[in-house]
Amino acid sequence: MLPLTIAPDVAHALKTGGAVVALESTIITHGMPYPANFETAQAVEAEIRDQGAVPATIAVVQGKIKIGLSETQLRNLAQVTGAAKLSRADLAAALVLGQTGGTTVAATMICAHLAGIRVFATGGIGGVHRGAEQSFDISADLPELAETPVTVVCAGAKAILDLPKTFETLETLGVPVIAYGQEMIPAFWSRDSGIRAPLQMNSPQEIARAHLMRGTLGLKGGQLVTNPIPQTDEIAAETLAPVIENAVRKADAQNITAKALTPFLLAEILEATQGASLAANIALIRNNARLGAQIALAMAMEP
Ligand code: PSU
Ligand code: MN
């Protein structure tokens, strides 16, 4: 038996061929402060329900994988102190040790796939960190995309990462990177990273069919959909560049490495922009949730 509890509405949707969208929880435990993390998680779930799909926020609670959280469980997770950050390497150990933690993109993909969920929406993925030629810091999210058949909708990657190296690595790994509705890969807070996307698709149906075609061909791994932030919520790359430079320099000076690095950089940027980055972050996650729901609905319609 898998150590996995599926919420009733999610279980029902999975059994009846309904559309389900997975959501990660490291963004709740390590990405945003309380109560913004809880309010955002709720708003994101509501976006998915509004589209006619079922949200499944995934986390590990006291050594059990939860596929879909109740409002109380979500609030508890948003407030818990000392939650673990769980990626592929940590998942089995966390279950054995009875831990509580947020699942990263990589771990959420693994859990979603175990539950039979094919679409997952988040804000930004992990990637190749700046200075990776020295630190070797490459997120486990990248190889996961090459391994586990889940379509992940994000807004690109934050410029805390080395974006060209991140997308080169995805190309090497054979991960389809699809820009939604434009030629360029978006860069999280802004709509254009300056990097041309290898693939462009303009409808949820195309993305759903490409996911299913990979399965037909026996290709393992998923797809990365990069969905640009809505124009009205965009923050110019030049505005955030010095903030990011500062955060990266500070991390370096304080010797912040490994699992701690991404949460440290996110918290630094949040503080330095006094919430402006948070508002954009919330807007883009909601936007990704809507597209994720539309892809899941399109997939549920395919034979
Ligand atoms: N990037 C963001 N926001 C996030 C994360 C990344 O813009 O919340 C989180 C995600 O859960 C992602 C994880 O899977 O950080 C990557 O961590 P690492 O770089 O340690 O693999
Ligand atoms: Mn890392």
Side-chain angles (χ1 to χ4, degrees):
M1 270 283 278
L2 287 168
L4 186 144
T5 314
I6 306 185
D9 56 340
V10 177
H12 176 77
L14 289 171
K15 212 174 297 159
T16 56
V20 179
V21 180
L23 298 164
E24 62 147 310
S25 48
T26 293
I27 192 166
I28 300 172
T29 56
H30 292 73
M32 284 183 193
Y34 183 83
N37 59 352
F38 173 64
E39 289 160 8
T40 303
Q42 278 203 309
V44 168
E45 289 198 352
E47 293 283 3
I48 292 168
R49 287 197 187 94
D50 284 350
Q51 297 288 323
V54 177
T57 300
I58 293 177
V60 173
V61 180
Q62 295 177 342
K64 292 273 184 307
I65 299 173
K66 301 283 181 199
I67 309 289
L69 299 177
S70 68
E71 189 179 326
T72 307
Q73 288 172 327
L74 197 62
R75 191 186 283 280
N76 288 343
L77 188 71
Q79 285 181 282
V80 74
T81 47
K85 175 181 162 189
L86 306 172
S87 194
R88 168 177 274 265
D90 316 292
L91 198 53
L95 301 182
V96 169
L97 299 173
Q99 289 179 350
T100 293
T103 48
T104 63
V105 168
T108 304
M109 289 178 74
I110 294 169
C111 297
H113 181 53
L114 286 173
I117 302 170
R118 299 176 289 183
V119 182
F120 162 24
T122 185
I125 60 159
V128 180
H129 277 274
R130 296 182 185 198
E133 59 275 28
Q134 293 293 327
S135 68
F136 276 45
D137 191 339
I138 301 175
S139 174
D141 292 352
L142 301 188
E144 200 62 52
L145 283 160
E147 187 69 31
T148 302
V150 173
T151 287
V152 178
V153 182
C154 70
K158 285 195 177 128
I160 58 173
L161 302 173
D162 186 321
L163 299 183
K165 287 193 182 72
T166 297
F167 291 105
E168 282 294 344
T169 302
L170 286 169
E171 186 185 294
T172 301
L173 292 169
V175 175
V177 174
I178 302 163
Y180 185 63
Q182 63 179 31
E183 283 180 13
M184 307 303 276
I185 297 174
F188 202 82
W189 292 292
S190 47
R191 291 172 63 85
D192 187 353
S193 64
I195 303 169
R196 195 166 289 279
L199 297 163
Q200 175 181 345
M201 289 187 187
N202 302 319
S203 75
Q205 287 73 25
E206 289 173 341
I207 297 168
R209 288 189 194 130
H211 176 110
L212 296 171
M213 184 60 81
R214 287 182 63 85
T216 302
L217 297 176
L219 298 174
K220 56 180 192 159
Q223 312 186 106
L224 184 67
V225 178
T226 62
N227 186 28
I229 184 172
Q231 223 132 31
T232 45
D233 301 299
E234 192 178 18
I235 305 178
E238 309 83 73
T239 310
L240 286 166
V243 174
I244 292 166
E245 294 288 344
N246 225 349
V248 170
R249 221 174 304 121
K250 207 162 158 184
D252 201 38
Q254 295 182 25
N255 257 315
I256 312 282
T257 58
K259 289 174 97 60
L261 180 58
T262 299
F264 177 88
L265 294 171
L266 299 180
E268 282 293 317
I269 292 166
L270 195 83
E271 202 188 329
T273 60
Q274 293 172 333
S277 66
L278 184 61
N281 205 339
I282 293 168
L284 68 85
I285 298 171
R286 294 176 70 149
N287 190 46
N288 295 343
R290 285 192 291 273
L291 179 58
Q294 290 159 10
I295 295 167
L297 286 161
M299 226 180 267
M301 299 283 286
E302 291 288 325

